[in-house]
Amino acid sequence: MFRNQYDSDVTIWSPQGRLHQVEYAMEAVKQGSATVGLKSNTHAVLVALKRASSELSSHQKKILPIDDHVGVSIAGLTADARTISRWMRTECLNSRYAHDTPLPISRMIGDL
């Protein structure tokens, strides 16, 4: 797929009736690897498939710790997820510094 004059905004349709930004997002997910999260009353488990993008490169870390009580798993392109995880870490650190308590997950997700 190549870029053209119709892919600069998500609200602009191409003459063929397609939204290129949506197609780019779907392609980004295809380039990623699968992740699965399971939760019970006492435990939570995150599992990620390690897959190298080519034979010459190594796999990328797909599970990132955020705080003592939070972790995230990446499916798709890692650059986008790393930006979000950096913001989440900053929010958790600010909450610990200001209130001396962990940031509630519901508040962090609501702000996200």
Side-chain angles (χ1 to χ4, degrees), residues 8-101:
S8 61
D9 193 9
V10 295
T11 60
I12 297 176
W13 293 81
S14 72
Q16 294 84 20
R18 301 185 310 190
L19 289 171
H20 289 289
Q21 291 293 332
V22 173
E23 291 180 5
Y24 293 150
M26 292 182 344
E27 194 64 34
V29 171
K30 287 179 190 175
Q31 291 177 10
S33 58
T35 61
V36 176
L38 300 171
K39 178 187 158 213
S40 72
N41 291 336
T42 58
H43 295 81
V45 178
L46 286 174
V47 180
L49 178 65
K50 288 183 177 181
R51 185 180 79 173
S53 57
S54 71
E55 293 180 12
L56 299 176
S57 67
S58 64
H59 67 275
Q60 294 180 337
K61 191 173 179 183
K62 294 288 187 174
I63 298 176
L64 304 171
I66 300 298
D67 199 7
D68 294 339
H69 68 297
V70 179
V72 295
S73 181
I74 302 169
L77 297 178
T78 58
D80 297 336
R82 290 189 193 284
T83 302
I84 293 171
S85 66
R86 189 177 308 118
W87 177 84
M88 293 170 80
R89 281 190 190 112
T90 304
E91 291 297 310
C92 287
L93 286 172
N94 289 341
S95 175
R96 283 200 186 267
Y97 180 74
H99 306 290
D100 201 28
T101 59

